[in-house]
Amino acid sequence: MRRITAIEKHGHGEPCDTVRLDHDQRNRRRMVFTTRAGQTILLDMPRPVHLRDGDWLRLEDGAMVKVEAMGEPLIEISATSDAHMVRIAWHLGNRHLPTQLLPGTCGGTIRIRQDHVIAEMVAGLGGQCSPVIAPFDPEGGAYEGGFGHGHHHHDEDDHSHTASQIHG
């Protein structure tokens, strides 16, 4: 089994393979992944990492495998006013639900994992819920510094992380 030695935000050339992962699989310290071509690769980092859609995994032989975020059953929440959206966001946060924030009008859109009880609560708070299948990449939270990168890969500086360089 080949080992992952680095996580890079940009690869060069064509990847040798792709690995499709859901949110939980993209947030690990150690796990065996199976690529689309059926190869097994080992993630074994000193601390948990947060893999994002489009990241490249450098293998010990120099080959590159691209990460694709897998679609999951989610609910997209919208509201007709900023006030409704703020109230909905407060109630979701009060329940410590992982939430993904998307820009848009009237406070934007929030994505959460599919949950009919929460959908009923959101409707009661003036929100609209639409089921979607999409990649889930929720906010890391105020304490993410010790878990994964602690920042988004989609910034301007080009960098990669190896097992000895993962920072948080």
Side-chain angles (χ1 to χ4, degrees):
M1 177 180 333
R2 299 186 307 181
R3 295 176 70 96
I4 298 166
T5 59
I7 301 163
E8 299 180 9
K9 91 172 197 175
H10 295 296
H12 303 286
E14 287 295 314
C16 71
D17 208 342
T18 303
V19 63
R20 296 192 72 215
L21 306 171
D22 67 19
H23 172 259
D24 292 335
Q25 294 168 324
R26 292 191 323 271
N27 291 279
R28 297 291 180 154
R29 183 194 75 76
R30 182 177 169 86
M31 186 170 184
V32 174
F33 300 129
T34 302
T35 68
R36 286 189 128 175
Q39 300 296 311
T40 55
I41 57 177
L42 174 65
L43 175 72
D44 186 14
M45 297 293 171
R47 288 175 286 205
V49 295
H50 179 80
L51 302 173
R52 297 194 182 271
D53 185 57
D55 281 352
W56 290 58
L57 308 175
R58 180 175 298 283
L59 305 181
E60 59 196 344
D61 61 6
M64 300 293 281
V65 174
K66 189 172 183 180
V67 175
E68 286 184 1
M70 184 183 300
E72 304 178 48
L74 306 173
I75 298 170
E76 269 190 2
I77 300 168
S78 58
T80 56
S81 74
D82 288 344
H84 283 123
M85 189 56 96
V86 167
R87 189 166 183 227
I88 291 166
W90 184 89
H91 281 277
L92 295 174
N94 192 46
R95 286 161 180 76
H96 302 279
L97 292 175
T99 57
Q100 181 177 358
L101 307 175
L102 304 168
T105 58
C106 290
T109 303
I110 297 174
R111 283 185 183 159
I112 62 170
R113 288 197 162 123
Q114 199 167 35
D115 183 322
H116 72 279
V117 173
I118 298 299
E120 289 175 21
M121 178 199 74
V122 167
L125 294 169
Q128 295 81 39
C129 295
S130 303
V132 297
I133 301 293
F136 189 47
D137 196 14
E139 292 295 309
Y143 304 105
E144 186 181 67
F147 184 78
H149 291 71
H151 66 272
H152 294 282
H153 269 201
H154 306 289
D155 52 11
E156 293 301 315
D157 63 291
D158 188 24
H159 63 278
S160 65
H161 302 286
T162 64
S164 63
Q165 296 173 319
I166 298 291
H167 60 278

